[in-house]
Amino acid sequence: MSILNILQHPDDRLHIPAKPVAHVGEVIRQLVADMAETMYSASGIGLAATQVNVSERVIVIDISDARDDLLVLINPEIQLKEGKVLFEEGCLSVPGVYDQVERSERIMVQALNTKDELINIEATGLLSVCIQHEIDHLDGKIFVEYLSRLKQDRIIKKLRKNQRGLDQREAT
Ligand code: NI
């Protein structure tokens, strides 16, 4: 397994819609293992393949406190959405930024697992929000795009400043 580089906003590659996985085999299982390791090492609760510059519809999620309950969704499709909920979201591709986004409260999702089996999941609360956030990534959308233009501009300024700060520290 290896830790993959996570793309950071702003990066055009975060806006490329991912293609459906054609075959769930060893290549995808290796990608899933690397994505899971990358998510755990970054202390994230979800990661989409788009964020590691792989244009395939693959998501890993773990919202458990013990970090031992990995959920893998390949080619996920939301089949039903109900209700509305406001949740404060963050993203490994937008470090240090948290803001409220409105999502569906309850969803039904169909996907493939790493054994190429069809699975159906009913999700509410944090899991529901997390799945919707990650599917957005696969569609080339990041959560800050739900915020006002003004907030989005401030976020980009802040991230550029942070990135410059990191570069300087690395250079010395
Ligand atoms: Ni994210």
Side-chain angles (χ1 to χ4, degrees):
M1 289 196 294
S2 48
I3 292 175
L4 308 169
N5 181 45
I6 300 175
L7 300 179
Q8 305 285 298
H9 177 60
D11 187 314
D12 290 343
R13 292 170 291 180
L14 287 168
H15 302 294
I16 301 171
K19 299 182 305 288
V21 171
H23 171 69
V24 180
E26 271 320 302
V27 175
I28 290 297
R29 282 189 279 274
Q30 185 59 54
L31 171 65
V32 165
D34 290 345
M35 284 174 60
E37 192 180 13
T38 303
M39 174 182 73
Y40 288 126
S41 90
S43 301
I45 59 170
L47 187 70
T50 308
Q51 292 176 275
V52 292
N53 199 24
V54 175
S55 198
E56 305 255 17
R57 298 187 75 83
V58 178
I59 289 169
V60 295
I61 289 173
D62 191 341
I63 59 163
S64 70
D65 289 334
R67 317 291 285 147
D68 61 356
D69 191 14
L70 182 67
L71 173 65
V72 179
L73 301 175
I74 299 167
N75 297 344
E77 300 276 356
I78 295 180
Q79 312 226 297
L80 183 142
K81 293 181 174 192
E82 264 182 15
K84 292 283 167 222
V85 67
L86 257 190
F87 240 87
E88 188 171 81
E89 299 189 19
C91 180
L92 293 175
S93 292
V94 195
V97 174
Y98 301 88
D99 214 321
Q100 301 236 321
V101 174
E102 189 181 85
R103 301 279 188 185
S104 298
E105 203 279 323
R106 174 176 170 268
I107 58 171
M108 300 284 292
V109 185
Q110 194 167 71
L112 295 171
N113 64 17
T114 54
K115 294 177 200 152
D116 202 20
E117 298 161 339
L118 205 55
I119 53 171
N120 286 285
I121 290 168
E122 179 187 351
T124 57
L126 177 60
L127 181 59
S128 169
V129 167
C130 192
I131 291 172
Q132 292 171 74
H133 175 118
E134 301 309 333
I135 290 178
D136 267 0
H137 275 303
L138 300 181
D139 293 332
K141 186 162 185 171
I142 48 179
F143 84 100
V144 295
E145 291 173 62
Y146 291 102
L147 307 177
S148 70
R149 193 68 247 171
L150 181 69
K151 274 189 179 175
Q152 291 189 51
D153 289 346
R154 279 191 195 143
I155 287 165
I156 287 190
K157 249 184 221 166
K158 177 181 164 176
L159 292 175
R160 289 227 165 98
K161 203 170 145 194
N162 290 351
Q163 280 161 7
R164 273 201 302 277
L166 276 180
D167 291 346
Q168 278 159 13
R169 277 200 293 280
E170 279 163 4
T172 54

